[in-house]
Amino acid sequence: MKKTYLSRLICIIVFISLMLIGCNMDGLPKGEFIKSSNSPDNSYTVNAYVCSGNATTDFSVRCEVVDNENENVRNIYWQYKQEDVEITWKDNETVVIDNHRLNVKEDSYDWRDE
């Protein structure tokens, strides 16, 4: 009885840990560079990468924003079943990536959150 309870508890802890880690954008694959776009005032750069699928997964696109003043980099976009991306700047801090409007200072889009 104790062994069954302990096994279930361990499985639940592992499952929850994997779910928390899996939903974080910090651990996304690097991918292959496909394009870059600078904000109108060149303060920020959005770099886009395609992450190749394998036998069990499809292609994905990851975009990161680079603060050109201090070189900080942060993932802001992650879309599954996609191989290319359209990037349009609305102003110096707002970018539209495939119809997802993001403030580069605070927003992000992750298809897993839908």
Side-chain angles (χ1 to χ4, degrees):
M1 176 104 169
K2 275 188 172 182
K3 187 175 182 181
T4 304
Y5 175 75
L6 185 59
S7 296
R8 287 183 184 169
L9 182 61
I10 290 172
C11 286
I12 290 169
I13 291 170
V14 168
F15 178 75
I16 291 172
S17 298
L18 290 174
M19 290 300 292
L20 291 174
I21 292 169
C23 293
N24 186 330
M25 289 182 71
D26 293 336
L28 297 177
K30 176 75 173 156
E32 181 181 327
F33 179 79
I34 51 176
K35 68 177 65 170
S36 183
S37 179
N38 291 322
S39 62
D41 67 354
N42 288 317
S43 294
Y44 298 97
T45 302
V46 172
N47 297 316
Y49 302 86
V50 64
C51 302
S52 62
N54 56 37
T56 60
T57 60
D58 207 345
F59 288 92
S60 300
V61 170
R62 176 183 70 84
C63 294
E64 64 187 17
V65 63
V66 180
D67 183 329
N68 293 326
E69 185 175 311
N70 59 26
E71 298 184 8
N72 286 340
V73 179
R74 181 175 74 85
N75 287 321
I76 62 166
Y77 182 83
W78 176 241
Q79 181 64 283
Y80 186 57
K81 294 187 179 184
Q82 185 174 345
E83 293 183 53
D84 198 13
V85 66
E86 184 178 322
I87 303 168
T88 307
W89 288 90
K90 293 297 181 188
D91 58 43
N92 293 328
E93 296 177 358
T94 307
V95 65
V96 177
I97 304 173
D98 284 340
N99 298 318
H100 296 280
R101 188 181 189 102
L102 304 170
N103 179 306
V104 295
K105 290 184 172 184
E106 56 193 38
D107 296 336
S108 64
Y109 171 77
D110 187 337
W111 68 272
R112 298 171 296 181
D113 293 335
E114 290 189 343

